[in-house]
Amino acid sequence: MADNAPGLRIVGADERRRSRRPGPAILWILVYAGVFGAGLLYLRFHAPWRKPDARPGDAPARAPVKFDRDALLTAAGVTRAAKSRYFEHLSTDRCDCGCDRTLADCLVSEKSCSRSPELASKLIQNSRFKIQD
C-alpha cells in the first residue's frame, strides 16, 4: 500500500483551512424543519377542534345546583320578583311520579318521591326564575 492515498493530501501548519459552508441538502433540511415548526404552531393556535379560551368578560357556566326539600319550599335562591311565579307553579304543576299531587304537596308529604325535588329544581334553574348571586 502506498503512503499517500490518491485524493488525500496533508495540510501543513502554515496553510489555512478552507471554510466549509453547509451543502444544499443541509439547507433544504433546515427549510423543511422551519416550515414544519411553523405548521405545528399554526395548528396549536388555530386548530378547529380546540375549544376557545374563556375571555375575561365571559361568565362561567353554572353547575346544576342541588336543593333540599326545605330550600325548594321556601324558594331559596329565587329572586323576590320571581317568587310569586315560582310558588304559583309549585301549587299548580303536578308531580309525574304517579301520586297525582301538586309539586308543593308532594314535596311536603312524599319524602320518598325523588321526582318532585328534581322538577322543583328545574323550575328554579329555569330562565324565568333567576338565581340570586
Side-chain angles (χ1 to χ4, degrees):
M1 204 178 238
D3 287 338
N4 290 336
L8 297 178
R9 67 183 191 96
I10 299 174
V11 178
D14 58 339
E15 284 186 71
R16 216 175 79 192
R17 296 179 98 186
R18 286 189 299 177
S19 64
R20 297 192 67 169
R21 295 183 185 165
I26 300 296
L27 292 175
W28 280 113
I29 289 172
L30 290 174
V31 167
Y32 176 79
V35 169
F36 185 77
L40 287 178
L41 284 175
Y42 177 80
L43 286 177
R44 167 71 172 95
F45 293 109
H46 300 296
W49 59 85
R50 185 170 170 246
K51 293 181 182 176
D53 294 334
R55 294 188 174 40
D58 293 345
R62 288 186 186 249
V65 180
K66 288 283 190 176
F67 295 99
D68 61 345
R69 290 179 184 270
D70 294 331
L72 291 171
L73 288 171
T74 59
V78 179
T79 60
R80 287 184 185 172
K83 279 190 180 187
S84 63
R85 287 184 289 158
Y86 172 71
F87 285 130
E88 181 182 327
H89 278 277
L90 272 185
S91 62
T92 58
D93 291 354
R94 298 280 179 187
C95 183
D96 61 359
C97 69
C99 68
D100 198 38
R101 296 181 181 187
T102 63
L103 284 176
D105 192 28
C106 192
L107 280 170
V108 171
S109 57
E110 294 289 330
K111 301 292 183 191
S112 63
C113 179
S114 63
R115 287 296 297 157
S116 58
E118 288 178 21
L119 294 172
S121 294
K122 284 181 184 177
L123 272 178
I124 288 179
Q125 292 172 357
N126 194 345
S127 63
R128 293 180 289 181
F129 309 112
K130 299 291 184 190
I131 298 175
Q132 294 174 348
D133 290 330

